[in-house]
Amino acid sequence: MISSQLVVLALAPLAVQAGFSPRATYLASASSYAGSTVSAVWPPPGATNTALDAYFPDANQVGNTGPTPTGDEAEAIATAPAAKFDSVYPLTDPSASDSDSSSEFEVVKHWGSLSPWYSVQSKDLPESSPEIPQGCSITQVHLLHRHGARYPTEGSALASLAEKVHNASTGAGFSASGPLAFLNTWTYKLGAELLTPFGREQLYDLGVAFRIRYGHLLEGFDQLPVFRTTSEARMVDSALNFAAGFFGVQSYQTDYHQLIMEEPVDNIAYNNTLAPFYSCPNFGGNGRSLGEWEEKYLQPALERISSMIQGINFTISDMAAMQQTCIYEMVALGFSEFCGLFTEEEWRGFDYLLDVEFWYYFGPGNPASAAAGLGWVAELVARLTETPITSPVGEVNTTLANNTTFPLNQPIYVDATHDTVISTILTTMNFTSLAKSGPLPFDHIPANLSYVASQFSPFASNLVGQVLSCPSSGTPSHIRWVLNDAVLPLTGLGSCPEDPNGLCPLDVFVKGMKDRINEIDYEYDCFANLTVPDPDTIVDGRYPAYLRNGTA
């Protein structure tokens, strides 16, 4: 029997003689199914048969579990050097088209908010670490995390690209060659918005890591914890996978309470601090188009890739869709041929495209961002001060703001949300170090960029507030914030002092947050008929005072 490897070796010389590149397909033109959408369903239809359950008893029914004594809870955040996470296993780490063996460029870190999360070193506090500073001990932790990697948004440009390819393959036909030859037999295998297997892994791993770092805080509970998420499928799945990693797969369903808050849909507003999209109509845009930057950084790619195909006229928008297809195929399927079509410079361009989008649509450059994150910050202050919320603040759901669904005495708080909401909350909390390089230009990437979406809001992003007891400092309680392992300076918050470890006295921080809440005019910023200044010089997520007062 001849192995498939020997067959490839035998055919390769013929392909070269015929003038094909080594990566080219042997087909003269695209298949008629190129660009078509394919999907799978699990479990198979009709496979579920509860009558068979009796044959497969669970572990409690089987018994004989062996020894089960538990050990003490871990406290690695205080007892061990901080571990850095920098892996996309089991994905195949892609390379840019012009990368060689000596290149240190990492494509996956240049996907903006679509990057898998990785440990970031603080740019402003280079000597700091997520590890608890000497002389302090942790008493409480607040985790705000994003969902894991998912399929693309329903109706996205990726599906439109696939439709364009399929229409060409079933019409007059097309033929792709060189690095693009895979398009001749490519099919679209992506669903919409659901968590991918890699996304499940990300949140499970985050749960395990959080238990190892902060598990000892469980000893401070006398009731089961309440963790929160929203009702979208990827949000619920992320929360459950986190819990499975944190508590363990055999017990997580009984070890805590999962509060699922209804996600707004179809522009119907529900008060939900983890999904404030429709409660604040002015949030989510400022009228600026991203096309100017796309035209600039993708023009070389359009010319290069267009030379590899006959029968389809690609556009700049198609190039951007191909970059996104690379990313979503990677996090869903483990590999994508689209990734290698683009150069290092073009991936830097894509990365910056999302930086610009987040800055002006969901971050410091949007006049309603600070208002949209107001509700969660009010909840944070309530938790830190153990003070009930008795009146509406921003998007707080007052029906759920009770001791059962919004407890105020937990040593551990966990909230799951979206990338845009994390960006908004960072703006509301006035982390000025992130905004210091703004406003962001549309015609070039500035040097020393401080606002990098892949570092503050990637898939599985996590913002951690550590409440610390530091008796040796003379001030009993402090707080600091760690974003994807990077400690953030708090000097933009009221009277928080400069500190190499990002520490701020807790009472000073709380006062700064209360002052920030009081200065934000939620009704005006969210509902007024705002005209965004051009150029947009906003850097704090608030409508400028000189326009607000009618003095322009």
Side-chain angles (χ1 to χ4, degrees):
M1 179 177 180
I2 300 176
S3 71
S4 58
Q5 183 179 10
L6 292 177
V7 172
V8 170
L9 291 174
L11 288 176
L14 297 177
V16 172
Q17 292 172 16
F20 287 82
S21 70
R23 296 183 63 183
T25 179
Y26 302 132
L27 298 175
S29 60
S31 167
S32 60
Y33 61 76
S36 62
T37 298
V38 295
S39 62
V41 177
W42 188 264
T48 302
N49 185 353
T50 57
L52 298 178
D53 288 351
Y55 292 92
F56 305 98
D58 62 25
N60 289 330
Q61 294 171 299
V62 172
N64 195 21
T65 59
T68 58
T70 59
D72 199 4
E73 290 290 350
E75 191 181 0
I77 200 68
T79 60
K84 295 292 185 179
F85 181 81
D86 192 3
S87 172
V88 293
Y89 179 83
L91 310 184
T92 301
D93 204 356
S95 298
S97 62
D98 57 345
S99 295
D100 56 32
S101 58
S102 64
S103 176
E104 296 182 356
F105 181 80
E106 296 180 81
V107 173
V108 296
K109 293 183 179 180
H110 292 81
W111 290 346
S113 61
L114 305 180
S115 292
W117 96 270
Y118 60 94
S119 293
V120 178
Q121 178 61 47
S122 177
K123 299 175 183 176
D124 300 280
L125 303 173
E127 302 303 317
S128 64
S129 162
E131 186 181 0
I132 301 304
Q134 190 171 5
C136 298
S137 60
I138 188 161
T139 60
Q140 189 180 68
V141 66
H142 299 256
L143 171 63
L144 179 71
H145 71 79
R146 187 189 176 192
H147 59 76
R150 61 170 175 85
Y151 286 127
T153 304
E154 190 172 28
S156 69
L158 289 73
S160 297
L161 172 66
E163 183 179 9
K164 183 173 186 175
V165 170
H166 190 53
N167 287 342
S169 69
T170 56
F174 73 88
S175 178
S177 61
L180 192 63
F182 71 88
L183 200 66
N184 290 320
T185 55
W186 171 76
T187 55
Y188 187 69
K189 300 180 176 68
L190 302 176
E193 306 193 24
L194 291 175
L195 208 62
T196 67
F198 177 66
R200 297 200 299 268
E201 177 195 29
Q202 287 184 296
L203 267 297
Y204 182 87
D205 288 349
L206 181 62
V208 172
F210 206 72
R211 181 66 175 263
I212 290 174
R213 286 184 166 185
Y214 301 103
H216 75 289
L217 290 175
L218 288 172
E219 297 170 2
F221 282 90
D222 55 17
Q223 299 290 330
L224 292 182
V226 174
F227 296 167
R228 302 191 305 173
T229 188
T230 74
S231 60
E232 281 195 330
R234 67 179 180 274
M235 298 298 301
V236 175
D237 287 347
S238 292
L240 295 180
N241 277 279
F242 174 89
F246 186 77
F247 293 110
V249 295
Q250 290 201 52
S251 64
Y252 78 95
Q253 292 183 338
T254 57
D255 281 355
Y256 80 117
H257 298 298
Q258 184 68 66
L259 179 64
I260 302 174
M261 302 165 67
E262 188 171 8
E263 182 102 13
V265 293
D266 299 329
N267 292 314
I268 300 174
Y270 303 106
N271 278 345
N272 185 337
T273 57
L274 301 177
F277 316 118
Y278 303 127
S279 297
C280 182
N282 286 337
F283 172 60
N286 75 346
R288 291 294 299 270
S289 171
L290 302 176
E292 178 182 347
W293 177 243
E294 285 184 333
E295 288 283 348
K296 185 174 182 64
Y297 89 87
L298 282 174
Q299 189 61 40
L302 177 61
E303 296 173 3
R304 185 176 64 253
I305 293 174
S306 293
S307 70
M308 304 175 189
I309 193 164
Q310 295 179 348
I312 301 179
N313 292 321
F314 286 133
T315 65
I316 289 290
S317 296
D318 293 329
M319 296 300 101
M322 286 184 183
Q323 288 190 302
Q324 292 181 57
T325 303
C326 150
I327 297 166
Y328 282 109
E329 285 190 340
M330 278 291 301
V331 299
L333 309 175
F335 178 71
S336 176
E337 292 273 14
F338 284 98
C339 298
L341 295 176
F342 299 95
T343 65
E344 292 183 5
E345 193 64 25
E346 288 156 1
W347 281 119
R348 289 190 180 93
F350 179 86
D351 200 26
Y352 185 64
L353 177 73
L354 295 197
D355 298 340
V356 172
E357 179 184 21
F358 269 69
W359 176 274
Y360 289 107
Y361 283 68
F362 317 112
N366 181 273
S369 284
L374 185 65
W376 189 87
V377 174
E379 291 176 335
L380 170 66
V381 171
R383 288 167 166 174
L384 290 172
T385 61
E386 297 190 19
T387 304
I389 298 176
T390 57
S391 59
V393 185
E395 308 81 13
V396 171
N397 188 321
T398 54
T399 302
L400 297 176
N402 59 69
N403 289 334
T404 300
T405 53
F406 189 70
L408 296 173
N409 60 347
Q410 295 191 168
I412 299 173
Y413 292 97
V414 179
D415 287 343
T417 188
H418 300 270
D419 52 350
T420 55
V421 182
I422 290 176
S423 175
T424 298
I425 288 171
L426 293 173
T427 303
T428 309
M429 295 179 72
N430 208 27
F431 288 113
T432 54
S433 63
L434 297 175
K436 65 183 180 181
S437 63
L440 303 191
F442 279 75
D443 59 354
H444 70 280
I445 303 175
N448 302 315
L449 185 63
S450 63
Y451 194 76
V452 182
S454 61
Q455 296 182 2
F456 68 74
S457 203
F459 285 132
S461 177
N462 49 96
L463 174 67
V464 178
Q466 299 173 338
V467 180
L468 307 170
S469 173
C470 305
S472 61
S473 70
T475 302
S477 296
H478 287 75
I479 192 171
R480 69 178 191 153
W481 290 88
V482 182
L483 178 60
N484 298 321
D485 287 345
V487 180
L488 297 173
L490 301 183
T491 50
L493 309 176
S495 301
C496 286
E498 292 187 11
D499 184 274
N501 290 305
L503 292 170
C504 181
L506 182 59
D507 59 345
V508 175
F509 174 83
V510 168
K511 183 180 184 303
M513 286 295 95
K514 288 182 177 179
D515 290 343
R516 181 68 167 159
I517 291 170
N518 290 333
E519 77 179 18
I520 295 172
D521 188 338
Y522 180 83
E523 292 298 321
Y524 185 91
D525 289 355
C526 285
F527 296 97
N529 185 16
L530 305 182
T531 301
V532 179
D534 188 11
D536 182 350
T537 57
I538 300 171
V539 294
D540 65 349
R542 300 209 59 224
Y543 199 59
Y546 76 92
L547 292 177
R548 183 186 306 270
N549 298 330
T551 58

